Amino acid sequence: MRVVFAGTPEFAAAALEAIVAAGFEVPLVLTQPDRPAGRGMALQPSPVKTLAETHGLPVFQPVSLRDEAAQARIAAAAPDIMVVAAYGLILPQAVLDLPRLGCINIHASLLPRWRGAAPIHRAILAGDAETGICIMQMEAGLDTGPVLARAVLPIGEDDSAGRLHDRLAALGAELVVTTLGKLRAGPLPATPQPEAGVTYAAKLARSEAPLDFTKPAAALLRQVRAFDPFPGSTAEVGGVLVKVWDAQVRPVRGEPGEVLAADRNGILVACGEQGLLLTELQKPGGKRLPAGQFLAGFRMVPGDRFALPRADA
């Protein structure tokens, strides 16, 4: 089976590694064009491109798949199937129709819940008890295609988006290899997604980063974990915007935003319901630090206040 692969970040690289290791022929790898990154803003290849070049696989980096030249390049690879994982470009119908077995997508949610760009983060933010991987037959709609295979993964109480991402990437890699093996032997039953239960996982925006201490502490804790490692949750105190990377809920009461304690155990802040103990923070230009080390270079005492959202915001 000739597998054309399309993907960009680490999540996709895990799947490509597994497909290559399983012995499938990969005549072409599609990934996003190199992007500027770092202080020098030098062009950096995607994780998928780096991995593909390590294995000596041909790499194609079109800016769009809508032009005939890009489509001809894919057709020349004579794919039996295309595997797509967090690629970042829309596949027009002309591309979806190219492979003999169509295109399948590795999606990190239990469809139809959390269609779209940020399913891992949104599942944590919403307080979902579980998530998973769906291998979906692609069609023109946004993550609307029938499901060929699915695997469920519990969301742990301590799961950040980063930790959950890594577990889902490994699960997706395993499930897509199993699915490809079954497709090589013959067609698989495709289960249409139900109309009920559809939710959309919009891409995270930096405007969502500020912690609103008028909300319940449990909701803020989900935010902290959903936004780790990107974009990070922020909180303003004394006119300084700090990032909060880990926290714990505490059964305390006080005025929202009020610092109730600040010591090596953490910075305890009153919320709309209960309190949030901030245990890992980062000041501008600094590193992520445990609360005790953070306070050694950032003075804070009970009675200080974290800023609350403006009424006109």
Side-chain angles (χ1 to χ4, degrees), residues 46-193:
S46 73
V48 163
K49 179 179 180 179
T50 300
L51 179 64
E53 291 180 338
T54 299
H55 289 289
L57 302 175
V59 174
F60 181 37
Q61 298 176 270
V63 296
S64 170
L65 294 179
R66 297 191 181 280
D67 65 275
E68 293 183 359
Q71 295 169 15
R73 177 73 184 275
I74 299 169
D80 292 307
I81 195 168
M82 181 185 291
V83 173
V84 182
Y87 178 33
L89 289 183
I90 295 174
L91 272 62
Q93 193 64 49
V95 172
L96 295 174
D97 293 340
L98 282 175
R100 177 174 62 87
L101 299 175
C103 302
I104 62 174
N105 177 256
I106 309 169
H107 189 77
S109 82
L110 298 175
L111 294 168
R113 187 162 178 78
W114 302 127
R115 294 174 179 173
I120 298 173
H121 310 80
R122 296 299 174 188
I124 295 175
L125 198 59
D128 291 1
E130 62 183 20
T131 183
I133 293 289
C134 282
I135 307 297
M136 174 192 66
Q137 190 79 47
M138 295 181 70
E139 55 184 33
L142 176 63
D143 299 330
T144 58
V147 174
L148 302 177
R150 72 196 297 267
V152 177
L153 188 68
I155 299 177
E157 292 184 359
D158 295 331
D159 269 331
S160 65
R163 288 191 288 269
L164 187 57
H165 165 280
D166 292 349
R167 291 162 57 209
L168 285 166
L171 182 62
E174 178 184 353
L175 191 59
V176 76
V177 166
T178 301
T179 304
L180 288 172
K182 292 178 178 179
L183 285 170
R184 184 162 50 185
L188 285 177
T191 304
Q193 295 184 37

Side-chain angles (χ1 to χ4, degrees), residues 221-272:
L221 178 59
R222 293 196 299 269
Q223 177 182 331
V224 168
R225 291 179 175 161
F227 283 39
D228 178 6
F230 177 85
S233 294
T234 59
E236 183 181 339
V237 59
V240 179
L241 195 67
V242 300
K243 286 194 172 183
V244 178
W245 292 111
D246 205 359
Q248 300 170 8
V249 175
R250 288 290 185 268
V252 297
R253 301 175 70 177
E255 289 297 317
E258 179 186 1
V259 175
L260 304 177
D263 54 37
R264 61 186 181 86
N265 295 315
I267 301 165
L268 184 58
V269 187
C271 302

